[in-house]
Amino acid sequence: MQRNLMLGTLVLGLAGPLCGSTLAAQTKGVLGRDNAAFARKLFEHGYTDLAGSLCRTITDNGASGTEQLEIQALGFELRVREIGRTPDLAARVPELRKVIEEEKAFLDENGRTSVGEVVRTNLPSVYLELAGTLNALLDKEKDPAKNAEFVQLGQQIFTEAKASLSERIKKFAKQLADGTGDQEYARRQHMLGLYNLARMDYQHALLHPLGSPERKELLESALDRFKDFGFEYSESLLNYQGIIYQGLCNEGLGKPEDALIDYEDAVALREDYARDENGQYQIDEELVNVISGATLQRVKLLMRMKRLREATAAAEEFLRTIPGAVYASSGIEILKAKAEAEIAAGDIARASTTAQSLVDIEPQGNAGRIGRELLSRLPVGNLAPDKILALAETSAQKGEFSRALDLCRRAREVARGARDEQEMGGASFLLAGNIYRAQKRWLEASVAFDLAAELHPRSTRAPEALDAAVNTYSEIARRDRARFYSERANERMKALATRYSQHPLAAKAGIWEGRQREEAGDFAGAIQFYEKIDPSSPSYFEVSCRVANATYLQALALAKEKPAESQPLMRKAEDLYGKSIALLTKAQEDTLDTAVQQRLANWIFSARIGLATLLVEVGKPAQAQPVLIEAEKRAGNDPDKIAAVWSLRIQGLQAEGRVDEAVRLFEALLQSNPDAPAISRSAGVLARALDKAANDQLEKDPASKRAEELWRKAAFYYSRSVERALDGSTALQADEVGEVAQRLYVIGLFFNRVPEGQTTFVDWQGELADSELWETTARIYERLEAQAPSYRLAIEHARTLAILGRLAEAETIYARSFDQVALIDPAGKFDMSVVEARPETVSAYLEWAVATHAVGLEQKDDGRLDRAKQIYERILLNTTTEQRLWWQAKFSQIKLLSDRGDYNNADEAIQNVKRRTDPQYDKGRFGFQDKFQSLEAELSKKVFRKK
């Protein structure tokens, strides 16, 4: 409320100048003299975006000299705030260092001005932001070399910042002692300096390992500084922030009881204020945030001390007595800590209530995500079956499919013999079927749907299960082409129509034959059947969309052989889509049944997508865009729907040559709603479009810089598309994520400048120019193997690790894979049944040998080297000189002889290759001419040949 009133007051003050600006067509200086100060007030009150916009407006209108300096100074702080929003911690470091350097350069030129003093005051906070970022990186980073780099940079930063700040403190201390100048200003700067110096000691301590003398010394120094600060500035709000830091210091020094007293002292700040009739302290937002921070640290410490009841009580007291508690800076974290304390104490009922309250606060936001995660962790021993099923749904949404399936089973067990057994059983099997379907485990899904319908026919979910079974069996029939599955789909549809004739889904039986004809490619027959459906039938609305869609598909099929004849059908389909959208929209407006409204909304969406697809196909992509805008409005948060919209939007913009606009639009979507569930799927659509555009560009111009730029963007969006699946916040679709891993691997070849035709470490062991894409690829394969292990995934994972130079890890995976697959028969030949079933096995066999060769050399392990030798010999026995694999194995075999110091035999082997094939080896056909010639030259220095 206070912030809104403040904003209203500030905006009223600006209204006149802004109106003048508009009327005067942005004449210089029209905004007035105090707008830089107004922009700073906006920033200080939390309206960062408004402050930034106003700064740009002032600059565009030609700010005066002093005003421009003020805008520049505020710009530093705006940039630091923006950098703080960047999720990539490593990316923040160079940006913050750049701000520090620019602020120092600014002070060199403007240090004696009042604006220079503002920048000088702000500079310590930038140092602290950078220090905090480095400490956060140290918590996450596992690479010792990178950690050492962060520590070294942190030491440099703190040395520089403390020296500068100490001089500043001395300067203002002297001014205060002398009684000269602006005493109020000097006192504030002296206060800020002392406070920030103490904070620097604390942050500096975190750079050092736990238990180290350096860490202990710095924590003690920080503790003393905060105590001195509190003695001198006891009435300042910063003193209470400092008391929280004292608690953190005491914790770090192994004094939890002292820390607890500190946190309680900070919380006691509220006691100076009256309470209202509800028992809530009448304190403002700043005080609420301080108390919330102290409470959070107090609760966490009590939990670590195993004083769980006290932790819960502390959190409850805060939530009960502080106005707007959950919206305080640490409010959500306090609720989370309370739930965790309740879980640890075994109070599952209370933990469930607390977790659910987080979901209720912000169902689609961060609080909701935390609440659902907590709910999914709850043991289910004493929970009702509907609660267990809710946990199963949460686990499924997070991609924890095994736990979700187990919870479905537990829900059925708990409900056995109960009044709601039929309802819970049907719902749990239906959810299990949907989980299997999400994993594309179609057979398991069909069984689960059948069980829901057959074992629990009185469940309200039974018709839905039968409908899902129909669709699943149809999907299996499309893939398998086995008659059994199509007949089973027919049987399930008859069961739906006869058992639940009054259910809205039963109306689908009336159009089932038309659907089958569509799937068989008989679009004209499907249309004839659909047109027989009576307009009074509940399925007529769906039919209107199906007729339009079948007409479009018929036109597409005809266009391949008779393009001219397909055009009237295309126009007819376009008209039918329009009529269907109008009919469905009116029906949706006329009904109050929310379930019917939702079904109609789905068909409206499908009709719009069909229409947009047609418009793109017939060369009217610009007309498709407004159709897609309407479709997106009805997509909600459904990632599949939004991905469909973005797929067409991108196709349309591509057709118009406006792929860059697609990128800009998607970046705007990211900016406005970065956590939306649809982001991942939509990012994948955009990545594939950019990937294709890069390939097309490269075909036109092999030296194209544009292709490189497009692939950079494609790689970024590919990575973004799997981000949520990898961190477990969404389901991991193995096929889609595996495809992303393959593309990132290939794009990595381009950015590491791997020569054309060389795709694995067998041929290329060059210096890594850009390892990030392959590191992401390796993480994807690791996650995929954990969820759905397979021979192919293991090989691709090992190949990625090997090209990254992580050969020991790769060799272990290769060895494990070939323990499971017997490629070589007793006669030493390739088992062709294995080769036919797993064609990637042969190349992987050579990769295993090369990895074993490298690891054996590094570890001086003759056993490994002998194994590599044996594999090379077997590959040569099974291949000819007309195959690339022969040349790869032959070169590796001779290289192994050379690596083991057997130079004479290696040289003789090279001469044999020349005699058997050609003096120029493979003549560059497979890329081995230069390799053999280089090896031959190397050997010529180590052996004596008879002339």
Side-chain angles (χ1 to χ4, degrees):
M1 176 70 77
Q2 288 176 339
R3 279 183 58 177
N4 289 338
L5 288 172
M6 175 63 75
L7 178 62
T9 304
L10 294 174
V11 170
L12 285 172
L14 187 63
L18 283 179
C19 292
S21 176
T22 304
L23 293 171
Q26 297 189 348
T27 306
K28 288 184 179 182
V30 75
L31 286 172
R33 292 178 299 174
D34 298 326
N35 284 292
F38 175 71
R40 177 163 288 282
K41 286 182 180 178
L42 285 173
F43 173 75
E44 289 172 352
H45 283 85
Y47 301 100
T48 309
D49 292 340
L50 286 173
S53 298
L54 181 55
C55 286
R56 288 190 292 276
T57 302
I58 295 169
T59 301
D60 290 345
N61 281 276
S64 65
T66 300
E67 191 173 45
Q68 186 58 51
L69 290 180
E70 291 173 348
I71 294 300
Q72 192 176 347
L74 180 55
F76 293 137
E77 296 175 61
L78 286 166
R79 279 170 58 195
V80 171
R81 187 71 59 86
E82 184 63 31
I83 292 166
R85 295 174 181 170
T86 305
D88 185 348
L89 292 172
R92 294 185 195 179
V93 174
E95 292 300 316
L96 288 168
R97 294 185 71 183
K98 186 177 179 183
V99 172
I100 289 171
E101 293 306 314
E102 289 180 10
E103 288 200 7
K104 286 160 69 176
F106 181 93
L107 291 172
D108 287 342
E109 293 184 15
N110 307 286
R112 294 179 178 274
T113 66
S114 59
V115 181
E117 188 60 27
V118 171
V119 173
R120 192 175 286 109
T121 301
N122 177 63
L123 187 54
S125 65
V126 188
Y127 277 113
L128 283 163
E129 183 74 23
L130 178 52
T133 301
L134 289 171
N135 282 321
L137 279 168
L138 283 170
D139 287 340
K140 293 180 63 177
E141 185 57 59
K142 304 302 180 187
D143 184 347
K146 287 187 177 179
N147 276 339
E149 182 183 329
F150 294 146
V151 170
Q152 183 179 3
L153 177 58
Q155 299 284 22
Q156 173 190 330
I157 288 166
F158 281 119
T159 300
E160 180 181 307
K162 287 182 185 179
S164 173
L165 194 54
S166 295
E167 288 299 317
R168 186 168 174 79
I169 291 168
K170 289 178 184 176
K171 169 189 169 183
F172 287 110
K174 185 176 185 304
Q175 186 176 334
L176 288 170
D178 295 343
T180 58
D182 186 337
Q183 288 284 290
E184 184 178 345
Y185 178 78
R187 184 169 178 77
R188 173 151 182 81
Q189 294 307 310
H190 183 254
M191 178 182 70
L192 289 173
L194 288 176
Y195 178 71
N196 284 328
L197 189 58
R199 287 174 66 199
M200 284 183 183
D201 268 348
Y202 175 74
Q203 293 283 0
H204 195 176
L206 301 185
L207 283 177
H208 298 283
L210 283 169
S212 66
E214 294 89 353
R215 185 169 186 146
K216 181 175 182 292
E217 181 182 348
L218 284 163
L219 285 173
E220 288 173 345
S221 174
L223 186 59
D224 289 341
R225 290 187 192 278
F226 279 120
K227 286 179 178 177
D228 291 343
F229 176 82
F231 181 77
E232 189 159 356
Y233 294 102
S234 58
E235 300 303 316
S236 165
L237 189 60
L238 285 180
N239 176 40
Y240 289 91
Q241 295 277 23
I243 292 172
I244 298 173
Y245 273 109
Q246 288 181 51
L248 293 170
C249 291
N250 275 319
E251 277 198 69
L253 291 167
K255 301 175 181 178
E257 293 294 346
D258 289 350
L260 202 54
I261 292 170
D262 291 325
Y263 300 142
E264 289 168 355
D265 284 347
V267 171
L269 169 63
R270 64 189 178 183
E271 303 299 338
D272 293 337
Y273 296 84
R275 295 200 198 193
D276 63 12
E277 63 277 8
N278 297 316
Q280 292 192 327
Y281 292 98
Q282 299 303 288
I283 50 180
D284 63 22
E285 185 178 345
E286 282 189 316
L287 295 175
V288 166
N289 288 335
V290 172
I291 294 168
S292 77
T295 301
L296 177 61
Q297 297 304 329
R298 181 186 180 193
V299 172
K300 286 183 172 181
L301 178 55
L302 286 167
M303 288 174 64
R304 286 192 289 272
M305 297 169 75
K306 307 300 182 186
R307 292 157 63 173
L308 301 176
R309 289 186 179 179
E310 290 179 62
T312 303
E316 287 177 344
E317 184 182 34
F318 170 79
L319 295 167
R320 186 179 64 255
T321 63
I322 300 299
V326 296
Y327 301 107
S329 57
S330 299
I332 298 300
E333 287 297 314
I334 290 170
L335 267 175
K336 178 185 177 184
K338 177 177 180 284
E340 288 175 335
E342 289 163 342
I343 291 171
D347 194 345
I348 303 306
R350 284 181 180 273
S352 177
T353 302
T354 304
Q356 186 59 49
S357 71
L358 281 161
V359 176
D360 295 340
I361 289 168
E362 195 181 16
Q364 302 304 319
N366 184 54
R369 179 186 60 77
I370 293 170
R372 285 189 292 274
E373 192 277 330
L374 288 165
L375 285 169
S376 71
R377 287 164 44 196
L378 295 179
V380 298
N382 299 316
L383 291 182
D386 60 328
K387 295 292 185 184
I388 298 173
L389 206 55
L391 296 181
E393 290 173 352
T394 300
S395 293
Q397 290 167 3
K398 291 166 56 183
E400 297 173 355
F401 296 131
S402 295
R403 173 169 168 77
L405 291 169
D406 182 61
L407 288 168
C408 287
R409 177 185 60 78
R410 294 288 298 276
R412 291 193 297 274
E413 289 176 352
V414 173
R416 189 169 296 146
R419 184 184 302 174
D420 59 353
E421 179 179 0
Q422 282 284 311
E423 193 62 32
M424 288 298 101
S428 67
F429 275 124
L430 180 63
L431 176 57
N434 286 326
I435 291 169
Y436 286 128
R437 188 161 59 179
Q439 296 174 283
K440 294 185 170 54
R441 295 167 63 180
W442 307 106
L443 290 172
E444 293 96 327
S446 67
V447 172
F449 293 138
D450 276 349
L451 288 171
E454 298 304 317
L455 295 181
H456 306 284
R458 298 194 303 278
S459 167
T460 58
R461 311 302 294 276
E464 191 179 344
L466 280 169
D467 182 55
V470 171
N471 293 325
T472 304
Y473 282 119
S474 297
E475 181 63 35
I476 299 172
R478 275 196 295 273
R479 294 166 179 269
D480 194 286
R481 297 295 178 188
R483 187 175 178 181
F484 167 81
Y485 297 114
S486 58
E487 289 178 350
R488 185 65 176 167
N490 287 332
E491 184 185 323
R492 299 285 79 193
M493 179 54 76
K494 288 178 184 177
L496 175 60
T498 55
R499 294 184 197 171
Y500 308 101
S501 58
Q502 301 306 309
H503 194 279
L505 287 172
K508 286 191 172 185
I511 59 173
W512 176 240
E513 187 175 336
R515 282 181 58 185
Q516 290 180 301
R517 293 188 181 188
E518 267 194 79
E519 289 172 4
D522 180 10
F523 303 116
I527 292 168
Q528 288 176 1
F529 193 89
Y530 291 144
E531 288 177 342
K532 295 177 184 177
I533 303 293
D534 192 283
S536 63
S537 167
S539 61
Y540 184 72
F541 301 109
E542 176 183 341
V543 165
S544 71
C545 183
R546 286 195 176 278
V547 169
N549 195 58
T551 305
Y552 170 54
L553 292 174
Q554 185 183 18
L556 277 182
L558 190 61
K560 295 176 182 177
E561 297 178 358
K562 301 176 181 179
E565 293 182 26
S566 73
Q567 294 308 307
L569 275 176
M570 284 288 188
R571 288 192 290 273
K572 182 179 179 181
E574 183 177 347
D575 180 58
L576 287 170
Y577 274 128
K579 290 179 178 177
S580 175
I581 291 168
L583 179 69
L584 289 162
T585 302
K586 185 176 187 307
Q588 187 187 40
E589 292 170 351
D590 290 346
T591 183
L592 297 177
D593 188 323
T594 55
V596 174
Q597 286 179 340
Q598 184 56 54
R599 283 198 294 275
L600 291 169
N602 289 337
W603 283 108
I604 293 170
F605 178 84
S606 296
R608 289 190 182 280
I609 289 295
L611 177 58
T613 304
L614 183 151
L615 291 170
V616 172
E617 177 68 29
V618 299
K620 301 178 183 176
Q623 293 181 30
Q625 296 302 328
V627 178
L628 290 170
I629 289 171
E630 290 301 314
E632 190 171 23
K633 289 178 182 176
R634 290 163 175 78
N637 286 323
D638 187 318
D640 291 327
K641 288 182 177 180
I642 293 180
V645 169
W646 274 92
S647 178
L648 285 168
R649 178 172 286 154
I650 292 162
Q651 288 176 42
L653 292 170
Q654 271 187 302
E656 295 181 85
R658 297 159 58 196
V659 70
D660 287 340
E661 184 173 334
V663 174
R664 286 196 296 274
L665 285 170
F666 189 71
E667 286 175 349
L669 176 66
L670 276 176
Q671 188 73 16
S672 62
N673 197 0
D675 296 323
I679 289 294
S680 297
R681 289 288 302 279
S682 303
V685 172
L686 183 55
R688 290 172 182 85
L690 291 165
D691 195 353
K692 182 180 182 302
N695 272 306
D696 294 343
Q697 188 69 35
L698 207 64
E699 286 180 8
K700 295 177 188 174
D701 179 9
S704 170
K705 290 290 184 185
R706 173 65 172 159
E708 182 172 340
E709 176 189 338
L710 289 167
W711 258 325
R712 283 279 179 208
K713 291 179 179 177
F716 169 75
Y717 286 114
Y718 272 132
S719 298
R720 189 66 193 260
S721 73
V722 298
E723 197 175 72
R724 292 169 65 85
L726 294 182
D727 68 19
S729 54
T730 62
L732 190 151
Q733 302 284 356
D735 291 346
E736 293 178 13
V737 176
E739 179 195 335
V740 168
Q742 290 170 348
R743 287 309 303 161
L744 288 177
Y745 181 91
V746 171
I747 296 172
L749 295 172
F750 174 82
F751 283 113
N752 282 286
R753 306 294 182 249
V754 178
E756 190 71 27
Q758 299 182 19
T759 58
T760 72
F761 69 100
V762 171
D763 295 332
W764 184 82
Q765 293 99 32
E767 185 176 344
L768 293 174
D770 187 342
S771 64
E772 184 178 351
L773 293 179
W774 285 338
E775 294 286 1
T776 301
T777 306
R779 287 198 300 275
I780 292 173
Y781 282 129
E782 185 176 357
R783 179 81 166 81
L784 284 170
E785 280 199 275
Q787 175 176 303
S790 75
Y791 180 84
R792 180 184 60 79
L793 286 174
I795 293 303
E796 291 177 2
H797 186 195
R799 183 176 297 141
T800 305
L801 292 171
I803 206 165
L804 280 165
R806 294 158 63 180
L807 289 162
E809 297 173 66
E811 189 222 7
T812 300
I813 296 174
Y814 281 123
R816 184 173 64 241
S817 299
F818 281 99
D819 279 344
Q820 301 166 2
V821 176
L823 174 63
I824 305 298
D825 66 18
K829 291 287 190 177
F830 288 159
D831 184 332
M832 295 313 296
S833 64
V834 173
V835 173
E836 289 172 8
R838 294 172 170 171
E840 70 275 9
T841 304
V842 176
S843 58
Y845 196 47
L846 175 65
E847 291 166 20
W848 179 28
V850 175
T852 303
H853 179 164
V855 175
L857 278 179
E858 183 181 350
Q859 299 183 5
K860 298 181 174 59
D861 185 336
D862 285 336
R864 279 190 166 91
L865 296 177
D866 288 341
R867 182 193 296 161
K869 174 177 177 290
Q870 182 186 52
I871 296 173
Y872 294 146
E873 289 170 352
R874 286 174 173 173
I875 292 173
L876 291 168
L877 179 66
N878 285 275
T879 54
T880 71
T881 57
E882 294 302 307
Q883 295 171 277
R884 176 183 179 81
L885 193 63
W886 186 92
W887 287 95
Q888 289 176 310
K890 194 65 186 178
F891 177 79
S892 299
Q893 181 194 46
I894 298 171
K895 184 74 167 58
L896 177 57
L897 288 169
S898 176
D899 289 338
R900 299 183 90 165
D902 193 355
Y903 304 125
N904 289 321
N905 281 328
D907 184 63
E908 181 60 29
I910 277 199
Q911 302 312 314
N912 283 339
V913 171
K914 292 170 72 175
R915 286 192 292 270
R916 180 182 174 187
T917 58
D918 187 278
Q920 299 302 312
Y921 303 102
D922 68 336
K923 297 180 179 179
R925 181 181 173 192
F926 299 111
F928 280 88
Q929 181 178 346
D930 291 343
K931 292 176 184 289
F932 272 101
Q933 287 175 342
S934 176
L935 181 56
E936 183 181 13
E938 183 182 331
L939 288 169
S940 68
K941 302 171 186 177
K942 299 175 180 177
V943 300
F944 174 76
R945 296 182 186 138
K946 293 180 181 179
K947 296 186 179 178

